[in-house]
Amino acid sequence: MFLITLMGNVSIMTIIWQEQTLHVPMYTFLAMLAFSDLGLSFFTFPTMLRIFWMDARELTFSACFTQMFFIHTFQDFESAIILAMAFDRYVAISHPLHYSSTLTNSVIAKIGLAIVVRTLSVQVPLPLLLRRLCFCHSNILSHSYCLHPDIIKLSCSDTRINSIFGLFVVLSTMGLDFLLILLSYVLILNTVLGIASHSGRLKALNTCISHLCAVILFFTPMICLAMLHRFGPRLPSLIYVTMANMHFLIPPVMNPIVYVVKTKQMQDKILKLFIKKIQKNPKSHL
């Protein structure tokens, strides 16, 4: 899975970087999504591989807090980028004539800066607040990587501030993003239903399928996990661990596959890239 993630996301970023025809908002956001997927993978997979290959199950507090910071940072990046992609689809379908003038390079740069500023402003305090806590009980984590809710459960100090701030971070980032994505699709659906021809409606909806897959892959395990933790019956820990792994590990693997399968331009560019490599090194492919 780690190798597929690396190959898929690096290929997408490379192709978008090299191909001038792909320097448009939709593919710029796709490159940003690939970058966030790589970041998420780099801070989750290696810890799991250490456990599987070397049975290395210990981590210092500093390393754990650092890993937690980067996992949640790239998690928020991904959520915000998926929201930006929903806005891109909304403008493309609802206001196609204003698409180029609305999503200019300057606007995309400002969106990217806003994502970074928002994410860092809520994520930087998390490890700082954790450092004031005492950990005097069992230091065994539920997951094979460090997550904020998992760490605060191990503390024997008063964790109310950490819990309240952690909940605020989730609601103000991924919670808000999910609601805005739903709103964007309500507006898109309203526009699509107003298209006279059946083929026109299908064509408009078809441009959203890849993005809808990204939304489902990213948000479904997270929402199910949150609902089970708060309202569901007490289930074996394996269920919670599996759902957390689905949330963190599946999107980086599947997003490149979905976008390549559903986007003809990406298929053509990848094919063109491989043909070029074969033509340059014919002997290595005999």
Side-chain angles (χ1 to χ4, degrees):
M1 286 174 73
F2 190 41
L3 288 173
I4 292 168
T5 300
L6 286 176
M7 288 167 59
N9 288 292
V10 168
S11 297
I12 283 176
M13 290 171 68
T14 304
I15 289 162
I16 292 171
W17 177 268
Q18 289 179 349
E19 293 290 337
Q20 289 291 327
T21 55
L22 298 181
H23 291 183
V24 293
M26 176 184 169
Y27 292 106
T28 303
F29 289 132
L30 179 56
M32 290 165 68
L33 183 68
F35 174 76
S36 69
D37 280 336
L38 277 177
L40 202 55
S41 301
F42 272 120
F43 289 97
T44 50
F45 275 109
T47 313
M48 298 181 76
L49 293 174
R50 282 177 71 242
I51 294 169
F52 287 133
W53 287 347
M54 296 176 282
D55 200 33
R57 297 173 181 272
E58 293 186 358
L59 208 61
T60 65
F61 277 109
S62 295
C64 188
F65 293 168
T66 302
Q67 185 187 42
M68 179 211 73
F69 169 76
F70 282 107
I71 286 176
H72 290 309
T73 295
F74 282 107
Q75 188 184 22
D76 282 0
F77 278 160
E78 182 138 351
S79 174
I81 292 163
I82 291 172
L83 172 60
M85 295 172 89
F87 176 65
D88 169 78
R89 291 299 83 211
Y90 164 70
V91 176
I93 292 170
S94 300
H95 306 283
L97 298 177
H98 301 286
Y99 182 75
S100 299
S101 58
T102 302
L103 287 170
T104 60
N105 289 336
S106 171
V107 169
I108 292 169
K110 286 174 184 175
I111 289 171
L113 181 62
I115 289 170
V116 172
V117 170
R118 186 194 76 165
T119 301
L120 293 180
S121 64
V122 295
Q123 290 300 334
V124 168
L126 287 180
L128 300 177
L129 287 170
L130 283 175
R131 289 198 173 276
R132 68 182 186 85
L133 301 178
C134 294
F135 295 88
C136 47
H137 299 314
S138 168
N139 289 334
I140 300 172
L141 294 166
S142 304
H143 303 281
S144 46
Y145 33 78
C146 298
L147 303 176
H148 184 258
D150 208 13
I151 294 171
I152 58 175
K153 281 180 187 174
L154 303 179
S155 174
C156 50
S157 308
D158 185 355
T159 60
R160 278 178 296 178
I161 293 172
N162 300 73
S163 297
I164 291 167
F165 186 71
L167 182 62
F168 165 76
V169 170
V170 171
L171 293 177
S172 64
T173 54
M174 290 180 286
L176 181 61
D177 291 346
F178 184 67
L179 290 176
L180 292 173
I181 289 166
L182 285 180
L183 175 61
S184 70
Y185 271 99
V186 169
L187 297 172
I188 287 169
L189 198 58
N190 185 52
T191 302
V192 169
L193 292 174
I195 298 172
S197 68
H198 179 68
S199 60
R201 288 196 292 269
L202 286 177
K203 188 178 178 182
L205 287 173
N206 194 48
T207 63
C208 299
I209 289 175
S210 300
H211 180 257
L212 276 170
C213 289
V215 173
I216 292 164
L217 286 168
F218 183 79
F219 285 101
T220 303
M222 182 186 73
I223 292 168
C224 291
L225 194 60
M227 295 294 283
L228 282 174
H229 269 304
R230 282 161 181 77
F231 309 112
R234 188 65 196 163
L235 297 171
S237 60
L238 180 64
I239 303 293
Y240 299 102
V241 172
T242 302
M243 293 192 75
N245 284 342
M246 286 174 65
H247 172 62
F248 287 108
L249 308 181
I250 300 297
V253 175
M254 291 304 299
N255 282 338
I257 296 170
V258 168
Y259 271 93
V260 170
V261 168
K262 292 301 297 177
T263 313
K264 192 173 186 306
Q265 275 183 289
M266 288 301 300
Q267 291 175 16
D268 293 343
K269 299 303 179 186
I270 288 172
L271 195 62
K272 184 181 169 185
L273 187 70
F274 278 114
I275 290 169
K276 270 187 180 178
K277 283 189 175 180
I278 290 168
Q279 286 174 345
K280 281 183 181 178
N281 305 295
K283 289 181 182 178
S284 63
H285 295 276
L286 290 174

